[in-house]
Structures are given as C-alpha cells and as structure tokens.
Amino acid sequence: QHPCQSLAMAVLSDQGAHCNVKTCSRLDFLPFQCGQCNQVFCLDHYRYEAHACPKAAGLDLRVLICPLCTQSVRLSPEDDPNLVWESHVFQNCTNPA
C-alpha cells in the first residue's frame, strides 16, 4: 500500500456522519440534515418519507404542471402521477387536447 493512501484514509476517517436510519447507518461524507427533525441522513434517506420524519406531516407537497393548460396539479406522495394527470385532463383542464 502506498504511504499516501494510508494518509488519505486517516485524514478522511473522522469526516462525515452516519445516517440516522437504524437499518442504514451509512457513513456519508456529504450528509443531509433534515430541516424538520434535525437528524442527519444519507442520500437514500434525506427525503421526509424516506426516513419517516415525524415532524413533516403535510410538508411534502408536489405538483405536476399540465403541459396543456399550464395549471399546477397537486400530487401527494402516495399518488400515481399518471392517474392524477389523467384525472386533471378529463375533469379540470382548461385546454384539453
């Protein structure tokens, strides 16, 4: 092993943070801190639903922009985007094709 490799590993070994998801605990060198629960997470668990954030109820709001009428259409995390958009086109779209 090259001496520089050992030095690099020693320098990086005290950096980063472990993901707070118990089944993960990955050491992440670019961790995310949740703005609601203030815990630290890796790339796989930084979204509210990915770490089941207890303080983020109702905050994960998403919208689809209809390409026909440019209205925003609310999309809940459990919704199928294709079904939501189809429903919008047939019921609320002001410029259906």
Side-chain angles (χ1 to χ4, degrees):
Q1 185 173 8
H2 192 275
C4 289
Q5 287 178 324
S6 297
L7 180 60
M9 291 303 290
V11 170
L12 293 176
S13 66
D14 64 344
Q15 302 298 311
H18 288 276
C19 178
N20 278 18
V21 172
K22 300 280 187 244
T23 57
C24 179
S25 298
R26 177 185 302 157
L27 178 61
D28 197 318
F29 293 105
L30 294 171
F32 295 86
Q33 183 173 14
C34 177
Q36 298 302 312
C37 67
N38 294 318
Q39 293 187 22
V40 175
F41 301 98
C42 67
L43 180 62
D44 292 338
H45 298 110
Y46 79 94
R47 291 183 180 88
Y48 296 146
E49 69 271 7
H51 68 268
C53 185
K55 296 185 177 182
L59 294 179
D60 190 10
L61 302 177
R62 300 174 191 195
V63 295
L64 298 172
I65 304 299
C66 177
L68 303 174
C69 68
T70 66
Q71 285 183 336
S72 58
V73 181
R74 185 175 177 166
L75 179 66
S76 298
E78 64 274 359
D79 290 339
D80 179 332
N82 295 314
L83 295 176
V84 170
W85 186 75
E86 185 177 295
S87 174
H88 164 74
V89 169
F90 290 116
Q91 296 176 10
N92 302 319
C93 187
T94 58
N95 190 26

